[in-house]
Structures are given as C-alpha cells and as structure tokens.
Amino acid sequence: MSILRVLRSGHWPSLLAAWLHFEISFMVWVLIGALGIFIAQDLDLSAAQKGFIVAVPLLGGSIMRIIVGISTDRFGPRRTGLVSMLLVVFPLAWAWLGVHSFTEVIILGLFLGIAGASFAVALPLASRAYPIEHQGLAMGVAGSANSGAIVSIALAPLLAERFGWHAVFGLMLPVVMLSAAIYWALAHDGPFRPVLKARRDLRQVLHESDTYWFCLFYATTFGGFVGLSSYLSIFFFDQYGFSRVESGWAAGACALAGSFSRPVGGFIADRFGGLRVLSLLYPLIALLCGMIALLAPFPFTFPLIVLAMCCLGMGNGVIFQVVPQKFPQEVGTLSGVIGAAGGLGGFLLPSVLGVLKGVTGTFASGFAAYAILCALMMPAVQICLRLDSARVEPGI
C-alpha cells in the first residue's frame, strides 16, 4: 500500500491537527535554546549556566507530559490540546515583558515546559485517527513536527538580531493563538478509539516492565535529539567560531535531519519490527557520536552530526510505533510517561555537556559520554527482545 493510501485510511484532518499542535508547541519549547547565545551574552553566563538554561524547558516538559498524558486519556486530546496551547500564552507574555535575570530565565523555562507536553496530546490524537496497522507511519508523521525546532533555531536568531531576544517571545503570541483556533477546528477524538479492554490507570501501567524499557530507550533517542537541538547552536558558536545567526542555521539543519527521519523510522518499524530496528540504530549512533567527539574540522564533523540526528529521529519514530500496539488503551498516559523520560533525557544531555565542557575545557568529553550511553543500549535492546520473544500473548 502506498504512503498516500495509508494516510487516506484514517482521519487526516486530525493527523494535520496533531502535527500543527506539536509543530507550534515545539517551536515554543526550544525557544530558549534557539536564543541561548543571545541570552548567555546578555546575562554573562558560564559554560555550565549556558547548558542549564537550554535544558530547563526540557525538564519542565518532562514533568508536564505526565499530567497532560493522563488528562488526554481522561478528557480527550482535542480539549486537552486546546487548553495546553492557551496556557503557553502566559509564559510567552512574561518573557516578552519581564524576564531579565538568570533565575527568571530558569523559571520561564519550567513554565515553557507546558509546550513540551504537546507530545502527550499529538501522538494520542494521531493514534486515534488511524487503524493499528498504520499507526507507525501516522505517529511518525505527527512526531515529525519536531521540525518546529528547526523553525525556532533557524529564525529566532535572525529576529533577535533585529528586534532583541525579548521581542521574539512576543512575536510567538499571535502564532500560538491562531494555531490553537485552527487546531480546534481540525481535531477529532476518533474514529479509532480502542474499545476491547478496560483502560488501566497510571499505577497499573507503571507495573508493566515494557513501560520502563520504552522510557529508557526514549530517554536516549529523544533526549539526544531534543537536547542536541537545543545545544548545538552554542556548540557551533563556541567550538567553530560561527556567528550567532550562522550557528542557528547550522543547528537548524541538524534538527531538520532528525525531524523528518522520524516517520521513516515508524514506516520501517511497521514492516520489520521496532526492537529489531533499534538494535541496528543504537550501535550506529554510538559510532557517530564517538567520531564527533574527535572534534575534527567542521566539514568533517557536520555530516556526522546530521547522520546522528537522522538516526535519533528514526529511533523516536520506531519506539512510538510499538507503544500503541502494546498499550492500545493507554496511549495518552504512556505518551506522557515515556515522553517525560524523553524530556528528562533532553534535560540531562545539555546539562552534562555544559558541565563537562566547564570541567574539562572541551566538548569532546560530553559527546564521548553520550556515545558510551548509546553503546550500553545495545545489550538493553537484546534483553528486551528476548523477553519479547518469550511472551505468549498475541500481538506481543
């Protein structure tokens, strides 16, 4: 079946609404990272502080995703999504008018985590819009709205050069409000709602071993993608001496690779199985990050980062191809829990990169540490595969 026919097999306006919600929310979520160089220079921040300010919104998103995920299962993604978008207006207005210190940037980042919780709305909405056999591609398409990071990373520095970094937050206000209206008009909470089994609550879901495997895997892949998306502009600025705008464009190109490879990962996983695909992706990511740690000249390092981001994006799509198959009733809750793990991974990566840069004086140590982490995921996937093959339940 062609990709076009697959997309027509479900409710495509809901898929578009899911994509829009995630796209705009992701733009807001990584905005501090996109403006990190401007904020750091304005507030005279250290290397560790630079890593921390771009990481805190990811921590806020990690916390909020659990709450929003439970709300999505209880009240539906359509209503939950509208409320979450409208709530984002308040921290954006504050950033525009009143944020002037390191502490205030940290508090702002936590509140912008509301936008990061979009993950627990967009993926359940896409899941309910398509039959189970096509959810890998559908959720990959929705998840490709990670590309919102590209828009922020590439355009925010241009706007900040002209209007100042505070004004960029103000310019996002009408974009968010208009997008919320379009989302409400397009989104629908069906038609493929699971009805075969009783829904389990969060406590029951947390008793499932698969929950923790998925959290571990997603903390590594999505944490790597969003953490690097937020931090790469600082890396290019400090390591290679790029201008603030050039750093944003280079980081945006890397984020682009990770965003649009996500549906590819879901599409491949539909055919070959998610865990099998992950068993190939993790060693490749480890190898690429190990080579990045050499800090070779930019023409050599840049393609390696692009390839690594591409693999991370595919890994994100692979993991959420598996989730609705194993937890068909609790996609919202699981999206929140697993997404929270991804956000936590995204918080830790730039924080560790910043701390290690400050301690060792080089970015090499941070990339080497991440390469080792990805290598450790290889035996973890093999263990999960063995457990998976030992089960006797149909469809698992």
Side-chain angles (χ1 to χ4, degrees), residues 6-30:
V6 171
L7 294 177
R8 288 176 176 172
S9 68
H11 190 253
W12 67 263
S14 289
L15 181 59
L16 179 58
W19 185 91
L20 177 66
H21 192 288
F22 203 8
E23 177 81 8
I24 300 302
S25 297
F26 216 95
M27 288 172 60
V28 174
W29 194 31
V30 302

Side-chain angles (χ1 to χ4, degrees), residues 31-100:
L31 203 50
I32 289 180
L35 298 169
I37 298 171
F38 294 84
I39 297 172
Q41 290 183 329
D42 191 21
L43 302 180
D44 193 24
L45 303 183
S46 67
Q49 288 175 321
K50 290 178 188 178
F52 197 61
I53 63 167
V54 303
V56 164
L58 310 182
L59 177 63
S62 179
I63 297 168
M64 289 300 301
R65 282 181 176 191
I66 298 176
I67 300 171
V68 172
I70 295 171
S71 177
T72 295
D73 278 342
R74 183 165 299 176
F75 302 109
R78 185 170 184 253
R79 282 184 288 179
T80 303
L82 179 67
V83 171
S84 68
M85 290 190 86
L86 295 179
L87 286 175
V88 168
V89 168
F90 296 100
L92 284 175
W94 181 45
W96 175 31
L97 300 173
V99 173
H100 300 289

Side-chain angles (χ1 to χ4, degrees), residues 76-159:
R78 185 170 184 253
R79 282 184 288 179
T80 303
L82 179 67
V83 171
S84 68
M85 290 190 86
L86 295 179
L87 286 175
V88 168
V89 168
F90 296 100
L92 284 175
W94 181 45
W96 175 31
L97 300 173
V99 173
H100 300 289
S101 70
F102 173 71
T103 301
E104 289 176 333
V105 173
I106 296 303
I107 297 171
L108 170 66
L110 288 172
F111 281 113
L112 289 181
I114 298 170
S118 169
F119 183 89
V121 171
L123 295 195
L125 182 62
S127 175
R128 295 184 184 192
Y130 282 83
I132 189 71
E133 63 269 19
H134 300 315
Q135 287 189 3
L137 178 62
M139 295 180 77
V141 169
S144 71
N146 289 337
S147 59
I150 304 161
V151 180
S152 282
I153 293 169
L155 294 185
L158 290 172
L159 295 172

Side-chain angles (χ1 to χ4, degrees), residues 257-279:
S259 295
F260 289 105
S261 64
R262 183 165 182 152
V264 176
F267 188 73
I268 294 173
D270 279 339
R271 282 148 178 76
F272 300 105
L275 292 176
R276 290 186 180 89
V277 178
L278 282 179
S279 69

